[in-house]
């Protein structure tokens, strides 16, 4: 079956539409020279390949070179019961599937939000029909529908000790994954763009649109922060290579308080 991949966000589409709806939304962007499409065959001919690196015991990062679309780092979280493939990248080939299978059996694929759908259905098919979990509030953004997709809402223990939940914010269904056994038992949060790990490695951000610089309101930031505070975690991973190595739960609270204070006008005298 032929399907199309948006060059800008690398999300798979069943049809080549005039403009990718995900990129036309205010949280993303369409290039100045318009919409561009590609296929896995074209990408393979252009020399795309994948690389897997170990981030910590039982957590791996998967990327493509060149970067497909937004260029996220997919996370592969391994447990004795199987692997969660988180934020699938927008490229897959036989070599990538072999490398993933060498780590174990993927039992679920999930994305933090629609920008990170990648070619999730294609990953599922090549891995034997693995369930693709999509947050029900964001179902409208699915551009390639397939029986492997399962909608969910609220909280879901996708693997023993690995919990998905939806604090919302960036998207109504924006999702985090909590891994209780990560960071030597201190807990890990895979937060993607929901709680974005900043380049300074000491703070996080809460945004509706990152490329177009639209912040979330103080009330929503407080809601998101309170949601993630229900979990114990010492380390936080974003959807690229940025991370908060230690004391991440406290970093989220400090960053939320800072965001709220600036939006409230507490620091207007500095401007």
């Amino acid at each position: 079956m032929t399907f199309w991949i948006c060059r800008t966000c690398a999300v798979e589409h069943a049809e080549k539409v005039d403009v990718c709806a995900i990129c036309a939304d205010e949280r993303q962007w369409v290039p100045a020279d318009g919409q561009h499409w590609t296929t896995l065959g074209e990408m393979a001919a252009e020399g795309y390949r994948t690389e897997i690196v170990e981030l910590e015991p039982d957590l791996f990062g998967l990327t493509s070179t060149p970067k497909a679309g937004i260029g996220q780092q997919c996370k592969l979280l391994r447990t004795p019961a199987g692997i969660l493939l988180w934020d699938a990248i927008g490229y897959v080939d036989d070599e990538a599937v072999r490398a993933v299978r060498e780590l174990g059996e993927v039992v679920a694929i999930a994305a933090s939000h629609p920008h990170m759908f990648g070619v999730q259905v294609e990953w599922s098919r090549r891995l034997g029909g693995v369930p693709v979990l999509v947050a029900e509030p964001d179902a409208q953004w699915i551009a390639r529908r397939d029986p492997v997709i399962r909608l969910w809402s609220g909280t879901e223990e996708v693997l023993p000790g690995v919990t998905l939940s939806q604090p919302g914010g960036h998207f109504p269904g924006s999702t985090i994954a909590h891994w209780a056994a990560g960071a030597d038992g201190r807990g890990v949060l895979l937060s993607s763009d929901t709680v974005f790990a900043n380049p300074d490695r000491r703070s996080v951000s809460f945004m509706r649109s990152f490329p177009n610089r639209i912040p979330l309101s103080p009330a929503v930031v407080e809601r998101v922060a309170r949601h993630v505070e229900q979990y114990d975690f010492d380390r936080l991973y974003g959807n690229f290579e940025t991370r908060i190595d230690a004391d991440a739960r406290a970093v989220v609270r400090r960053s939320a308080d800072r965001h709220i204070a600036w939006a409230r006008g507490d620091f207007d005298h500095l401007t």
Side-chain angles (χ1 to χ4, degrees), residues 57 64 97 103 122 147 158 202:
S64 71
V97 171
L103 297 176
E122 192 63 21
V158 66
R202 296 181 289 116

Side-chain angles (χ1 to χ4, degrees), residues 123-175:
W123 273 102
S124 170
R125 288 185 172 188
R126 295 191 181 213
L127 290 168
V130 175
V132 175
L133 307 181
V134 175
E136 189 169 8
D138 296 336
Q140 70 184 85
W141 300 103
I142 300 171
R144 185 189 180 194
R145 298 188 178 271
D146 191 274
V148 299
I149 294 176
R150 179 167 68 82
L151 302 182
W152 69 284
S153 61
T155 300
E156 175 135 348
E157 188 175 34
V158 66
L159 287 163
V162 180
T163 304
L164 305 182
S165 62
Q166 299 171 7
H170 184 46
F171 275 78
S174 281
T175 298

Side-chain angles (χ1 to χ4, degrees), residues 19 53 64 73-75 98 106-107 119 156 184 249 268:
V19 180
V53 296
S64 71
Q73 182 186 66
C74 169
K75 306 298 191 297
R98 281 195 298 271
V106 175
V107 299
V119 292
E156 175 135 348
D184 297 322
R249 191 171 181 272
D268 283 359

Side-chain angles (χ1 to χ4, degrees), residues 62 74-77 82-89 100 106-111 117 120 123-124 127 130-131 159 190:
L62 172 68
C74 169
K75 306 298 191 297
L76 294 97
L77 197 169
I83 291 174
L84 168 66
L85 193 153
W86 173 258
D87 283 348
I89 62 174
V100 169
V106 175
V107 299
I109 297 171
F117 283 171
Q120 58 186 4
W123 273 102
S124 170
L127 290 168
V130 175
L159 287 163
L190 304 182

Side-chain angles (χ1 to χ4, degrees), residues 90-110:
Y91 179 71
V92 59
D93 58 19
D94 292 342
E95 182 180 348
V97 171
R98 281 195 298 271
V100 169
R101 282 183 166 154
E102 287 178 1
L103 297 176
E105 180 186 2
V106 175
V107 299
I109 297 171

Side-chain angles (χ1 to χ4, degrees), residues 31 42 91 99 174 214 217 220 228 244 246-247 252:
E42 289 177 359
Y91 179 71
S174 281
I214 306 173
S217 74
V220 172
V228 303
I244 308 297
D247 205 25
V252 171

Side-chain angles (χ1 to χ4, degrees), residues 183 186 201-202 233-236 243-251 254:
R186 299 187 304 277
R201 303 176 303 284
R202 296 181 289 116
F233 59 96
D234 189 56
R235 189 169 297 146
L236 179 150
R243 56 196 269 186
I244 308 297
D245 281 320
D247 205 25
R249 191 171 181 272
V251 167
R254 288 197 302 270

